[in-house]
PDB file of all heavy atoms in Angstrom:
ATOM      1  N   LYS A 223     -10.590 -26.587  14.115  1.00  0.00           N
ATOM      2  CA  LYS A 223     -11.588 -27.589  13.733  1.00  0.00           C
ATOM      3  C   LYS A 223     -12.632 -26.935  12.826  1.00  0.00           C
ATOM      4  O   LYS A 223     -13.808 -27.261  12.858  1.00  0.00           O
ATOM      5  CB  LYS A 223     -12.230 -28.187  14.994  1.00  0.00           C
ATOM      6  CG  LYS A 223     -12.965 -29.477  14.772  1.00  0.00           C
ATOM      7  CD  LYS A 223     -13.294 -30.209  16.082  1.00  0.00           C
ATOM      8  CE  LYS A 223     -14.076 -29.396  17.070  1.00  0.00           C
ATOM      9  NZ  LYS A 223     -14.528 -30.187  18.245  1.00  0.00           N
ATOM     10  N   THR A 262     -15.334 -31.198  12.759  1.00  0.00           N
ATOM     11  CA  THR A 262     -15.215 -32.666  12.738  1.00  0.00           C
ATOM     12  C   THR A 262     -13.819 -33.173  13.038  1.00  0.00           C
ATOM     13  O   THR A 262     -13.672 -34.219  13.651  1.00  0.00           O
ATOM     14  CB  THR A 262     -15.650 -33.238  11.382  1.00  0.00           C
ATOM     15  OG1 THR A 262     -14.802 -32.717  10.354  1.00  0.00           O
ATOM     16  CG2 THR A 262     -17.107 -32.909  11.091  1.00  0.00           C
ATOM     17  N   GLN A 263     -12.764 -32.468  12.623  1.00  0.00           N
ATOM     18  CA  GLN A 263     -11.420 -32.988  12.834  1.00  0.00           C
ATOM     19  C   GLN A 263     -10.401 -31.865  12.912  1.00  0.00           C
ATOM     20  O   GLN A 263     -10.605 -30.781  12.390  1.00  0.00           O
ATOM     21  CB  GLN A 263     -11.027 -33.967  11.722  1.00  0.00           C
ATOM     22  CG  GLN A 263     -11.083 -33.393  10.328  1.00  0.00           C
ATOM     23  CD  GLN A 263     -10.734 -34.411   9.273  1.00  0.00           C
ATOM     24  OE1 GLN A 263      -9.668 -35.022   9.307  1.00  0.00           O
ATOM     25  NE2 GLN A 263     -11.642 -34.632   8.322  1.00  0.00           N
ATOM     26  N   TYR A 264      -9.291 -32.167  13.574  1.00  0.00           N
ATOM     27  CA  TYR A 264      -8.219 -31.206  13.809  1.00  0.00           C
ATOM     28  C   TYR A 264      -7.447 -30.940  12.515  1.00  0.00           C
ATOM     29  O   TYR A 264      -7.050 -31.871  11.815  1.00  0.00           O
ATOM     30  CB  TYR A 264      -7.271 -31.769  14.864  1.00  0.00           C
ATOM     31  CG  TYR A 264      -6.028 -30.933  15.123  1.00  0.00           C
ATOM     32  CD1 TYR A 264      -6.080 -29.844  15.984  1.00  0.00           C
ATOM     33  CD2 TYR A 264      -4.814 -31.256  14.540  1.00  0.00           C
ATOM     34  CE1 TYR A 264      -4.951 -29.092  16.244  1.00  0.00           C
ATOM     35  CE2 TYR A 264      -3.672 -30.513  14.793  1.00  0.00           C
ATOM     36  CZ  TYR A 264      -3.747 -29.427  15.649  1.00  0.00           C
ATOM     37  OH  TYR A 264      -2.635 -28.690  15.902  1.00  0.00           O
ATOM     38  N   PRO A 389      -9.747 -28.834  27.095  1.00  0.00           N
ATOM     39  CA  PRO A 389      -9.729 -29.466  25.773  1.00  0.00           C
ATOM     40  C   PRO A 389     -10.948 -29.068  24.949  1.00  0.00           C
ATOM     41  O   PRO A 389     -12.070 -29.065  25.439  1.00  0.00           O
ATOM     42  CB  PRO A 389      -9.734 -30.972  26.094  1.00  0.00           C
ATOM     43  CG  PRO A 389      -9.237 -31.076  27.503  1.00  0.00           C
ATOM     44  CD  PRO A 389      -9.731 -29.830  28.189  1.00  0.00           C
ATOM     45  N   GLN A 390     -10.689 -28.740  23.681  1.00  0.00           N
ATOM     46  CA  GLN A 390     -11.755 -28.359  22.754  1.00  0.00           C
ATOM     47  C   GLN A 390     -11.807 -29.283  21.539  1.00  0.00           C
ATOM     48  O   GLN A 390     -12.887 -29.586  21.049  1.00  0.00           O
ATOM     49  CB  GLN A 390     -11.538 -26.920  22.272  1.00  0.00           C
ATOM     50  CG  GLN A 390     -11.424 -25.887  23.375  1.00  0.00           C
ATOM     51  CD  GLN A 390     -12.739 -25.557  24.030  1.00  0.00           C
ATOM     52  OE1 GLN A 390     -13.775 -25.546  23.372  1.00  0.00           O
ATOM     53  NE2 GLN A 390     -12.722 -25.295  25.326  1.00  0.00           N
ATOM     54  N   THR A 391     -10.661 -29.683  21.063  1.00  0.00           N
ATOM     55  CA  THR A 391     -10.566 -30.492  19.842  1.00  0.00           C
ATOM     56  C   THR A 391      -9.688 -31.702  20.109  1.00  0.00           C
ATOM     57  O   THR A 391      -8.546 -31.549  20.547  1.00  0.00           O
ATOM     58  CB  THR A 391      -9.959 -29.667  18.688  1.00  0.00           C
ATOM     59  OG1 THR A 391     -10.786 -28.539  18.435  1.00  0.00           O
ATOM     60  CG2 THR A 391      -9.833 -30.501  17.416  1.00  0.00           C
ATOM     61  N   ILE A 392     -10.219 -32.879  19.861  1.00  0.00           N
ATOM     62  CA  ILE A 392      -9.443 -34.102  20.039  1.00  0.00           C
ATOM     63  C   ILE A 392      -8.410 -34.214  18.923  1.00  0.00           C
ATOM     64  O   ILE A 392      -8.698 -33.999  17.749  1.00  0.00           O
ATOM     65  CB  ILE A 392     -10.362 -35.343  20.035  1.00  0.00           C
ATOM     66  CG1 ILE A 392     -11.371 -35.250  21.182  1.00  0.00           C
ATOM     67  CG2 ILE A 392      -9.553 -36.626  20.138  1.00  0.00           C
ATOM     68  CD1 ILE A 392     -10.753 -35.185  22.551  1.00  0.00           C
ATOM     69  N   MET A 393      -7.180 -34.564  19.302  1.00  0.00           N
ATOM     70  CA  MET A 393      -6.098 -34.774  18.357  1.00  0.00           C
ATOM     71  C   MET A 393      -5.639 -36.227  18.413  1.00  0.00           C
ATOM     72  O   MET A 393      -5.832 -36.908  19.431  1.00  0.00           O
ATOM     73  CB  MET A 393      -4.915 -33.857  18.692  1.00  0.00           C
ATOM     74  CG  MET A 393      -5.246 -32.374  18.646  1.00  0.00           C
ATOM     75  SD  MET A 393      -3.945 -31.339  19.388  1.00  0.00           S
ATOM     76  CE  MET A 393      -2.540 -31.740  18.347  1.00  0.00           C
ATOM     77  N   ASN A 394      -5.031 -36.687  17.341  1.00  0.00           N
ATOM     78  CA  ASN A 394      -4.465 -38.028  17.337  1.00  0.00           C
ATOM     79  C   ASN A 394      -3.233 -38.097  18.222  1.00  0.00           C
ATOM     80  O   ASN A 394      -2.479 -37.128  18.335  1.00  0.00           O
ATOM     81  CB  ASN A 394      -4.085 -38.444  15.911  1.00  0.00           C
ATOM     82  CG  ASN A 394      -5.288 -38.656  15.026  1.00  0.00           C
ATOM     83  OD1 ASN A 394      -6.354 -39.027  15.504  1.00  0.00           O
ATOM     84  ND2 ASN A 394      -5.131 -38.417  13.729  1.00  0.00           N
ATOM     85  N   PHE A 407      -4.001 -39.368  25.630  1.00  0.00           N
ATOM     86  CA  PHE A 407      -4.925 -38.416  25.052  1.00  0.00           C
ATOM     87  C   PHE A 407      -4.153 -37.192  24.564  1.00  0.00           C
ATOM     88  O   PHE A 407      -3.085 -36.853  25.082  1.00  0.00           O
ATOM     89  CB  PHE A 407      -6.007 -37.985  26.057  1.00  0.00           C
ATOM     90  CG  PHE A 407      -5.746 -36.664  26.726  1.00  0.00           C
ATOM     91  CD1 PHE A 407      -6.327 -35.497  26.244  1.00  0.00           C
ATOM     92  CD2 PHE A 407      -4.907 -36.573  27.835  1.00  0.00           C
ATOM     93  CE1 PHE A 407      -6.086 -34.276  26.853  1.00  0.00           C
ATOM     94  CE2 PHE A 407      -4.662 -35.364  28.452  1.00  0.00           C
ATOM     95  CZ  PHE A 407      -5.253 -34.197  27.962  1.00  0.00           C
ATOM     96  N   ALA A 408      -4.702 -36.553  23.547  1.00  0.00           N
ATOM     97  CA  ALA A 408      -4.141 -35.304  23.035  1.00  0.00           C
ATOM     98  C   ALA A 408      -5.299 -34.410  22.610  1.00  0.00           C
ATOM     99  O   ALA A 408      -6.289 -34.887  22.059  1.00  0.00           O
ATOM    100  CB  ALA A 408      -3.207 -35.570  21.858  1.00  0.00           C
ATOM    101  N   ALA A 409      -5.175 -33.128  22.881  1.00  0.00           N
ATOM    102  CA  ALA A 409      -6.257 -32.202  22.556  1.00  0.00           C
ATOM    103  C   ALA A 409      -5.689 -30.811  22.325  1.00  0.00           C
ATOM    104  O   ALA A 409      -4.556 -30.504  22.721  1.00  0.00           O
ATOM    105  CB  ALA A 409      -7.294 -32.165  23.676  1.00  0.00           C
ATOM    106  N   TYR A 410      -6.486 -29.973  21.686  1.00  0.00           N
ATOM    107  CA  TYR A 410      -6.169 -28.550  21.553  1.00  0.00           C
ATOM    108  C   TYR A 410      -7.216 -27.769  22.327  1.00  0.00           C
ATOM    109  O   TYR A 410      -8.416 -28.064  22.250  1.00  0.00           O
ATOM    110  CB  TYR A 410      -6.173 -28.116  20.086  1.00  0.00           C
ATOM    111  CG  TYR A 410      -5.390 -26.839  19.846  1.00  0.00           C
ATOM    112  CD1 TYR A 410      -4.041 -26.880  19.526  1.00  0.00           C
ATOM    113  CD2 TYR A 410      -5.996 -25.590  19.972  1.00  0.00           C
ATOM    114  CE1 TYR A 410      -3.311 -25.722  19.329  1.00  0.00           C
ATOM    115  CE2 TYR A 410      -5.285 -24.426  19.781  1.00  0.00           C
ATOM    116  CZ  TYR A 410      -3.933 -24.493  19.455  1.00  0.00           C
ATOM    117  OH  TYR A 410      -3.214 -23.326  19.270  1.00  0.00           O
TER     118      TYR A 410
END
Side-chain angles (χ1 to χ4, degrees):
K223 197 166 56 173
T262 61
Q263 58 182 304
Y264 175 83
Q390 304 286 325
T391 300
I392 299 300
M393 300 168 60
N394 291 331
F407 99 97
Y410 201 91

